[in-house]
Amino acid sequence: MTSAIFSALNVLTHPVGAGSVRDAQTSQQDALLAALRANRAFLLEQLQTEEGLEVRRLREEARARAAWFSGDTEDTTWGFVQECLLLLLTLARHLSVQLELFNQTPAPSAAKLRTPEMAPPLPPDVLSVTQQKTLAAVLQFVVSLGLCPYLAPGVGVALGRRSEFGAMVEGLVRGSLVPAGERRLLTTTNVLLELAELSSLATPLFTRHLGDVTAALCQLGYRPRRSDAASTKEEKELGIDERKTCREALNTLLGKVYQPIVIKELLILQGGPKQAAPVGGSSGTTNRSALGAAPPWLRRLCGQLLSERLMQPKGVQAVVRAILEGGRGGESDWRKCDSVARILVACPQQSVSPDSYYRQVCPQILELLHFKDKLTAQQFQRVATRAVLTMVEDKPEFGQQYILAPLLGPLQSCAIPTGEGNPQCPVEEWELSRCVEDVYKIWVVGNSPSAALLKALEEVLPVLFTLFCFTKQNVSHLRAPCQEILLWYLGHTEPSGALSVLRRLSGLGGQPHGVAPEFHFTPGSDGGARLSPREVVSDEDDALYEQLSGEQWRLECLVQLLAELQDSDLPGDFFLELLQVQSIHTEEEEEEEEEQEVDVSAMTLLEVEQHLLGRAAGRGQSLALLQVLAVVCEGLPHTLLLRKTTQVVDFMVSLLQRACVGLGQAPDPGTENPVESQTLSMGIGLVATLLSGPQLSAEDYASMLRLLPPLEKLSQKHPEAAIQELASSLRAVIATHGAYKPENLTAAAQYSRKPGATQNNNRVPSTKKQKMQPPAKSSHLSQTRSHSPTMDTIPNAPSNPPAPAQCKKKPNPIRTQTSSDAEEPGAQHANPTQTKPLIPGHVRHTEAPGASDPGPPTRAFSNWLLEACDPEVPTRAVALRALTRMVRDGDSEAVQAQEKVLVLFLENLEHDDSFVYLSAIQGLAVLADSFPERILQRLLGEFQRGPSLPTSDKEHSLETRLKVGEVLMRASRAMGELAPHLGRPLIGAFLQGTRDQDQTVRASCLSNLGELCQRLDYALGPLAQELSSCLTALIKTEKEAEVRRAAVHVIALLLRGLSDKTTQVLSDVLLELYRALKWVVRSDRDDVTVLHAQLALEELDDVMRRFIFPEQKLEKKIVVLP
């Protein structure tokens, strides 16, 4: 029966009598009317036949119930719509009856025959694809001919704006000229709502025509009734009960449908502006300009309905989804996000009060920050961020109460309670994690600094910093957001505010922790942190140690935080402020010492106690300040502390002012402080270096004017004449902006850098200095030590002096031309001027054994052989390196004496000092590379049977074998393309070594085997089966974890070396190796072995992916035809 009803519906929608219609056609409207009449007549004829008998019966039953049906209407379109509505009602009632019978009468026989593979029986209201298409066509006819034409102007989207066919239908049916237009609209709407009671029919109806049905209900229920003479009787006959029913139906419909779709349709119904704006570049502007202006009553109604949707639970989310769904994150989507944020912040007129509105909406705005979907989270986060920022700026009282207070609540709960009525309680991990993430999204990602946001964040900054210090001690996902929040605040707040916060966090400005002493942060189960009560420590020493170590760790974390501010002046400003405060404390302490002792006898006990506590607190502040200064100086480089000229000048002002303290007092010979004298020398040298620079701007000289008072004081009151002269010269250069510059300015700077120069200038004669000068061989080191205070100010200068033995044996490349006697031992000490550096204060360091080699040796080959046996370690190591270089360069004497060199290297291989035996290993590797066939055989014998020299130490043979294994590994790496030819003996030795009794030898053999096999390529094919058996057996039977790690690492090296050749070379054993690796991952108890196996599996995965999915290469081939 369902198929018969759809056949009747298909008759109405399918064109019939096309030939007669085409002959009679004069226009499109006439053709449409003729087609509608023909289809209706053909349907009535079909219903008179036997096939349509049952459908006619059901149609007559529906007609008897339909009081609105008029059979004698002369309106062709309305007659066609009536037939469609009757058949739709017939279909709905038939499907309802069948569905009720289906639910009431289960089929037991079918249940017995049902198997797990069988699908459940379909209910009778399930429509096929063809039936759905027919139903959609009928609904489109009903809406286009029976609903839209009767809507008032501006209500809904006009048919003429939808398509050309809609414009033609709009001209055909003039609903405003029809006497009973609103009654027809009510009839069509009621029938469609009756259809919507069945879910199978409601889906196609509301999917395509929800906006039209909503517009009809709005007009029927809320359109103001006209009282002028133009109103017709039919319009007045629409009673109050009918309008009330339409309003209830509208509310029911809007409550049942998915809310974002409802909001979209209401926005469309609200219409465009009264004067359409020009079409912009974004899609939203185009759609908006296509809408006509809605009547005022409809705009007010839609606004009220939208406000209701917004204020209901999850209404904010529905509004955001309605506007942003379908976007891809482009520029227009970001503009939409900002627009939605402004809509959410604006309180609607329909709201009872702003307080109730924001109390209901603000928690929903914060919930937008907690979505996990990537694209949705980005858009929702943008809306929430902009809404929060706009609300905090425009509505500060509501923003503080309903946004910032709940947002920062967990962090504020961690803070020390301010009143007795607010006891501190534990904070769970999820609360802290969500709070930190929300703060990061609003403050850092939003990146719109305002006074309100900065002030709110400053209140919880101590707690946030304490949490950051805790995360630095553990692995936590909160470390990065905490650090970014702190850096954002320090980078966006005012410099004075940032310095105040740094003083507070460092413990110099009050309580730094922010968390009560009886609470602390503990690790959470999900990688976060939670606030929990602290266990009471009974031992006072332990409690004191815990407190001091915690303060030290906080300072280190603060310095690490400042180190991240690479492009900021804040670290330098903080350092300079600490110096200024330290200078003030020093002056106050000196003034207190100058004052007479306080008469304690005239004071009460309370006053004495307060006096002593005040002095102790002051000294405690001084100690804390010195501790902060020490940590800052140790943890931050000078390039970060003094990155600008003005900061350097401020530093020098502080330094010179500190040096000027006490100059007016009489000098006491017994209380001289060499540290202060050296500090003053360094300060004057720094000023001279700065003034001797190539380019100084007027701003630089202007900032240096602050140096004039301390320099003037030094030039007048310092006891040493040299300091007075230098200070006077520097003062003259600064005052004249460089117009006056003495010739000895650079020399004065270099002179002042020597720590002992100012002390001995007026006391030690120059002749005495020459007599006391050390020998030439140590003059280089003495100059290095004397210039060490200024080495830190030279960029990239080495911080440690060279080793004495290296300086003794390595010839200085910067020297004058001398006679040939300088090549003999001890000749280099004959003339002290030969080793004097040409650049004062600059020291050329010797290179490490792994660095680039020095220049060509100037001694004879025999001399190097003798020095290679010298008992002095540096002499022997340098000689071995020289012999290695000669072998590499193909020296004729070294080639002829290769046997002696080999024996010499093997003897030194057993030396205890790493500097010697590493040089010997390097020499043996070079020998094996130069003479592989002979040297490799000898090394293999040493590796398999132990050292064979008569002087060998048998007790240390294992160590020697491992060193020889290192030589063989280096030789394997250097073989290159000769590995298939030279590596065959090595593979046999290494495979045999995997059965050695010592585990270290087995591991060494496997390591060498991996290095060699990854270079054999196709030559590895015949050995693949043997190699696989060996590795698989070791992986499954070896007890030592170190050997199993090496075996798995060999497989990884094999796969990495063969790469795309793996499937060809290891085709027979690849499955076996794969199973062995999987066995390790599942069964091995050593974590490192499992890690190696996972890395090998990743290598194998990459190989197989490239093999199965080869890279597509677009190549153009040019073929020359014969």
Side-chain angles (χ1 to χ4, degrees):
M1 178 55 64
T2 303
S3 301
I5 297 175
F6 273 102
S7 299
L9 290 173
N10 192 30
V11 170
L12 282 177
T13 57
H14 191 274
V16 295
S20 61
V21 170
R22 191 180 302 111
D23 296 338
Q25 178 176 340
T26 58
S27 65
Q28 292 184 352
Q29 295 181 357
D30 296 337
L32 178 59
L33 290 175
L36 295 179
R37 284 193 294 266
N39 286 10
R40 183 186 179 192
F42 185 67
L43 172 64
L44 296 177
E45 293 178 1
Q46 291 289 333
L47 293 178
Q48 299 300 325
T49 61
E50 295 182 359
E51 298 177 355
L53 183 61
E54 189 66 23
V55 177
R56 185 180 63 183
R57 181 182 64 80
L58 295 176
R59 176 180 174 276
E60 292 299 330
E61 292 178 0
R63 179 178 177 180
R65 298 179 183 177
W68 45 265
F69 185 82
S70 176
D72 55 350
T73 180
E74 297 180 358
D75 191 345
T76 304
T77 57
W78 180 243
F80 180 82
V81 170
Q82 286 187 129
E83 293 296 337
C84 293
L85 294 177
L86 280 179
L87 289 178
L88 288 175
L89 286 175
T90 302
L91 175 65
R93 291 167 183 171
H94 171 71
L95 292 179
S96 300
V97 172
Q98 294 297 322
L99 187 60
E100 185 177 357
L101 293 176
F102 176 80
N103 294 330
Q104 292 179 356
T105 56
S109 59
K112 293 180 180 179
L113 300 176
R114 187 178 303 167
T115 61
E117 293 79 9
M118 291 179 60
L122 291 176
D125 62 339
V126 176
L127 306 180
S128 64
V129 176
T130 304
Q131 292 173 347
Q132 292 178 10
K133 290 182 179 180
T134 304
L135 179 62
V138 175
L139 291 176
Q140 185 173 2
F141 271 109
V142 170
V143 172
S144 301
L145 299 176
L147 191 146
C148 291
Y150 304 106
L151 293 175
V155 178
V157 181
L159 288 175
R161 293 179 178 267
R162 304 185 186 185
S163 63
E164 296 181 358
F165 176 78
M168 187 262 293
V169 172
E170 190 176 25
L172 178 64
V173 183
R174 296 288 183 178
S176 59
L177 302 178
V178 177
E182 193 157 348
R183 179 62 60 181
R184 292 182 179 181
L185 178 63
L186 178 63
T187 299
T188 306
T189 305
N190 288 335
V191 172
L192 293 178
L193 290 177
E194 186 175 350
L195 294 177
E197 296 178 0
L198 199 63
S199 60
S200 57
L201 301 181
T203 301
L205 173 62
F206 292 145
T207 301
R208 294 175 176 267
H209 308 291
L210 175 63
D212 297 322
V213 177
T214 305
L217 290 174
C218 290
Q219 176 174 331
L220 293 172
Y222 293 94
R223 182 185 181 186
R225 306 187 67 172
R226 294 185 299 175
S227 59
D228 55 355
S231 59
T232 61
K233 294 181 179 180
E234 288 78 6
E235 290 175 344
K236 293 181 180 179
E237 290 176 356
L238 199 61
I240 298 176
D241 295 338
E242 292 174 330
R243 294 170 64 88
K244 183 179 179 180
T245 303
C246 292
R247 293 177 183 179
E248 295 175 354
L250 176 63
N251 293 330
T252 304
L253 175 63
L254 298 182
K256 289 198 298 187
V257 182
Y258 182 54
Q259 291 304 299
I261 297 179
V262 171
I263 294 172
K264 283 183 181 180
E265 298 298 338
L266 290 176
L267 289 174
I268 295 174
L269 280 179
Q270 203 171 17
K274 295 182 179 179
Q275 293 181 355
V279 179
S282 62
S283 59
T285 306
T286 303
N287 295 336
R288 191 68 177 169
S289 62
L291 300 177
W297 64 268
L298 182 59
R299 298 177 67 89
R300 290 192 299 270
L301 174 62
C302 291
Q304 180 180 355
L305 294 176
L306 287 172
S307 300
E308 293 176 359
R309 308 274 84 72
L310 175 62
M311 297 180 65
Q312 65 184 1
K314 296 186 179 180
V316 172
Q317 182 185 148
V319 172
V320 176
R321 288 186 181 275
I323 300 177
L324 299 182
E325 266 188 349
R328 298 184 179 180
E331 181 182 357
S332 60
D333 291 336
W334 294 121
R335 293 179 179 177
K336 289 181 181 178
C337 292
D338 297 343
S339 302
V340 174
R342 288 194 296 270
I343 293 173
L344 296 178
V345 172
C347 179
Q349 298 178 355
Q350 294 79 9
S351 176
V352 178
S353 65
D355 184 79
S356 62
Y357 172 75
Y358 291 120
R359 184 173 59 251
Q360 194 167 6
V361 169
C362 289
Q364 299 186 41
I365 293 177
L366 294 180
E367 284 297 324
L368 297 178
L369 298 170
H370 306 144
F371 283 85
K372 302 301 182 182
D373 181 67
K374 187 175 182 181
L375 180 59
T376 304
Q378 289 179 354
Q379 295 177 338
F380 283 19
Q381 177 181 326
R382 174 73 177 185
V383 172
T385 302
R386 296 308 306 170
V388 169
L389 297 176
T390 305
M391 190 167 179
V392 169
E393 293 178 2
D394 298 345
K395 310 286 183 181
E397 63 281 359
F398 295 115
Q400 178 65 35
Q401 182 178 1
Y402 297 118
I403 291 291
L404 296 181
L407 185 65
L408 301 175
L411 289 177
Q412 292 174 345
S413 300
C414 297
I416 298 177
T418 56
E420 297 181 357
N422 299 321
Q424 194 166 14
C425 58
V427 180
E428 295 299 328
E429 178 187 4
W430 68 269
E431 295 181 274
L432 269 180
S433 300
R434 173 173 288 190
C435 177
V436 172
E437 291 173 358
D438 291 348
V439 171
Y440 174 79
K441 294 173 183 177
I442 296 296
W443 271 264
V444 180
V445 179
N447 196 22
S448 295
S450 63
L453 287 179
L454 291 173
K455 181 180 179 181
L457 184 59
E458 183 180 356
E459 295 176 357
V460 298
L461 215 59
V463 178
L464 201 61
F465 179 70
T466 304
L467 179 60
F468 170 70
C469 296
F470 169 76
T471 58
K472 294 287 288 185
Q473 295 176 332
N474 306 277
V475 178
S476 175
H477 61 84
L478 297 179
R479 181 189 305 172
C482 287
Q483 177 175 328
E484 292 296 328
I485 294 169
L486 293 170
L487 292 177
W488 182 90
Y489 178 84
L490 295 176
H492 289 83
T493 189
E494 294 293 332
S496 59
L499 292 176
S500 175
V501 168
L502 289 177
R503 287 195 301 270
R504 184 180 177 187
L505 296 181
S506 62
L508 301 178
Q511 177 60 251
H513 299 85
V515 179
E518 61 271 11
F519 283 84
H520 68 143
F521 289 110
T522 56
S525 58
D526 296 330
R530 62 186 302 270
L531 186 72
S532 57
R534 186 191 299 269
E535 297 181 359
V536 180
V537 180
S538 57
D539 192 352
E540 295 182 358
D541 294 338
D542 294 342
L544 180 61
Y545 173 77
E546 184 177 353
Q547 179 183 357
L548 294 178
S549 60
E551 293 177 356
Q552 180 69 20
W553 177 247
R554 287 176 62 87
L555 290 179
E556 293 178 2
C557 293
L558 182 62
V559 170
Q560 294 176 13
L561 197 66
L562 291 175
E564 298 293 332
L565 299 172
Q566 297 291 336
D567 300 329
S568 175
D569 299 335
L570 186 60
D573 295 340
F574 181 58
F575 172 66
L576 295 174
E577 184 178 0
L578 293 177
L579 290 179
Q580 293 176 0
V581 175
Q582 196 267 343
S583 300
I584 295 174
H585 280 216
T586 304
E587 294 178 359
E588 292 176 354
E589 290 177 359
E590 292 183 356
E591 291 177 357
E592 290 179 0
E593 292 177 358
E594 292 177 359
E595 295 178 356
Q596 297 180 356
E597 293 292 336
V598 180
D599 188 7
V600 182
S601 60
M603 302 171 59
T604 63
L605 291 178
L606 181 59
E607 292 175 349
V608 172
E609 183 181 4
Q610 291 177 353
H611 175 69
L612 295 178
L613 289 177
R615 295 186 61 181
R619 292 179 180 178
Q621 285 290 329
S622 300
L623 291 176
L625 177 63
L626 291 176
Q627 182 186 14
V628 176
L629 263 175
V631 175
V632 169
C633 293
E634 291 177 2
L636 298 178
H638 69 277
T639 55
L640 186 60
L641 292 178
L642 305 175
R643 61 188 301 266
K644 292 196 314 183
T645 305
T646 55
Q647 292 180 334
V648 177
V649 172
D650 292 337
F651 171 70
M652 290 186 293
V653 169
S654 176
L655 189 146
L656 295 179
Q657 287 178 350
R658 178 68 185 89
C660 291
V661 176
L663 286 180
Q665 302 175 1
D668 187 0
T671 59
E672 293 183 358
N673 191 348
V675 177
E676 293 184 358
S677 179
Q678 293 178 12
T679 303
L680 179 59
S681 301
M682 184 185 71
I684 292 181
L686 194 56
V687 175
T689 304
L690 189 62
L691 290 175
S692 61
Q695 293 180 354
L696 285 176
S697 61
E699 291 79 6
D700 296 336
Y701 281 111
S703 63
M704 292 183 189
L705 293 178
R706 290 176 294 166
L707 295 171
L708 294 179
L711 287 176
E712 182 179 4
K713 190 173 182 180
L714 288 174
S715 64
Q716 294 177 357
K717 297 183 179 181
H718 200 276
E720 297 184 6
I723 295 295
Q724 292 182 4
E725 182 181 356
L726 289 176
S728 179
S729 300
L730 295 175
R731 182 173 176 275
V733 174
I734 295 173
T736 59
H737 284 208
Y740 166 75
K741 184 172 291 187
E743 297 179 357
N744 61 344
L745 182 62
T746 306
Q750 296 177 358
Y751 173 80
S752 64
R753 292 171 192 167
K754 300 180 181 180
T758 59
Q759 297 178 10
N760 302 326
N761 184 36
N762 299 326
R763 303 171 188 171
V764 182
S766 59
T767 56
K768 188 175 182 180
K769 287 184 181 180
Q770 295 177 0
K771 292 180 181 180
M772 294 175 61
Q773 189 175 6
K777 66 178 182 179
S778 60
S779 62
H780 205 125
L781 296 177
S782 64
Q783 292 179 9
T784 303
R785 295 188 185 98
S786 66
H787 287 276
S788 60
T790 62
M791 292 299 290
D792 295 336
T793 63
I794 302 175
N796 301 327
S799 58
N800 298 321
Q806 297 181 27
C807 293
K808 177 181 176 182
K809 288 301 178 181
K810 183 175 178 180
N812 195 338
I814 306 176
R815 61 171 59 200
T816 58
Q817 186 68 28
T818 59
S819 61
S820 60
D821 295 338
E823 297 183 1
E824 299 179 1
Q828 57 181 339
H829 310 310
N831 189 359
T833 61
Q834 295 177 0
T835 59
K836 182 178 180 181
L838 297 181
I839 305 174
H842 180 70
V843 180
R844 186 181 186 274
H845 285 221
T846 57
E847 298 175 351
S852 59
D853 292 333
T858 57
R859 300 188 183 184
F861 177 73
S862 58
N863 291 339
W864 290 120
L865 287 178
L866 291 176
E867 290 198 3
C869 302
D870 194 285
E872 294 291 334
V873 170
T875 304
R876 177 179 292 196
V878 171
L880 291 175
R881 293 181 62 198
L883 291 174
T884 301
R885 185 173 58 256
M886 296 178 71
V887 172
R888 184 189 297 114
D889 296 340
D891 185 82
S892 58
E893 297 183 16
V895 172
Q896 294 176 1
Q898 57 176 285
E899 183 63 30
K900 295 181 180 180
V901 176
L902 175 62
V903 173
L904 187 63
F905 282 150
L906 290 175
E907 289 178 352
N908 284 280
L909 201 63
E910 302 178 11
H911 201 279
D912 295 334
D913 194 277
S914 60
F915 195 39
V916 175
Y917 72 72
L918 286 177
S919 300
I921 288 175
Q922 185 179 2
L924 288 172
V926 173
L927 269 178
D929 187 33
S930 303
F931 315 102
E933 295 183 354
R934 182 175 177 277
I935 302 300
L936 286 178
Q937 291 296 331
R938 177 68 178 273
L939 292 176
L940 280 178
E942 296 284 334
F943 181 71
Q944 290 177 319
R945 295 180 293 275
S948 58
L949 298 177
T951 59
S952 300
D953 188 0
K954 302 301 181 181
E955 296 180 359
H956 299 83
S957 61
L958 177 60
E959 299 179 5
T960 306
R961 290 180 65 188
L962 294 177
K963 295 174 184 177
V964 175
E966 174 70 18
V967 175
L968 292 175
M969 185 184 67
R970 296 191 181 190
S972 302
R973 292 177 179 174
M975 286 180 183
E977 296 181 356
L978 293 178
H981 173 65
L982 300 175
R984 285 298 184 90
L986 297 180
I987 292 180
F990 293 153
L991 287 175
Q992 185 178 359
T994 57
R995 295 177 293 178
D996 194 272
Q997 297 180 355
D998 191 271
Q999 62 181 14
T1000 55
V1001 176
R1002 298 199 298 272
S1004 176
C1005 290
L1006 288 172
S1007 178
N1008 295 342
L1009 191 64
E1011 290 289 341
L1012 181 60
C1013 288
Q1014 68 174 339
R1015 290 168 173 81
L1016 292 180
D1017 290 344
Y1018 292 104
L1020 189 63
L1023 305 173
Q1025 193 66 46
E1026 184 178 359
L1027 185 64
S1028 174
S1029 301
C1030 175
L1031 296 176
T1032 306
L1034 287 174
I1035 288 174
K1036 295 184 178 181
T1037 60
E1038 177 62 48
K1039 297 181 179 180
E1040 299 295 334
E1042 183 180 0
V1043 181
R1044 297 199 306 275
R1045 298 173 188 171
V1048 175
H1049 187 57
V1050 171
I1051 300 178
L1053 291 177
L1054 273 176
L1055 299 174
R1056 191 178 306 154
L1058 294 174
S1059 186
D1060 295 337
K1061 306 172 187 175
T1062 302
T1063 54
Q1064 304 175 27
V1065 178
L1066 302 179
S1067 58
D1068 297 335
V1069 299
L1070 197 58
L1071 180 59
E1072 183 179 355
L1073 294 177
Y1074 171 74
R1075 290 173 176 171
L1077 293 175
K1078 295 296 288 186
W1079 184 88
V1080 170
V1081 172
R1082 289 194 305 266
S1083 305
D1084 202 293
R1085 291 175 293 179
D1086 184 54
D1087 295 337
V1088 180
T1089 308
V1090 173
L1091 177 61
H1092 282 302
Q1094 291 174 347
L1095 294 176
L1097 288 173
E1098 290 180 3
E1099 294 286 345
L1100 182 59
D1101 181 69
D1102 294 340
V1103 170
M1104 298 310 298
R1105 286 180 183 275
R1106 291 195 299 269
F1107 176 73
I1108 299 174
F1109 309 105
E1111 183 180 358
Q1112 299 288 338
K1113 293 184 179 180
L1114 300 178
E1115 298 179 351
K1116 178 187 288 187
K1117 293 184 179 180
I1118 300 176
V1119 180
V1120 179
L1121 298 177

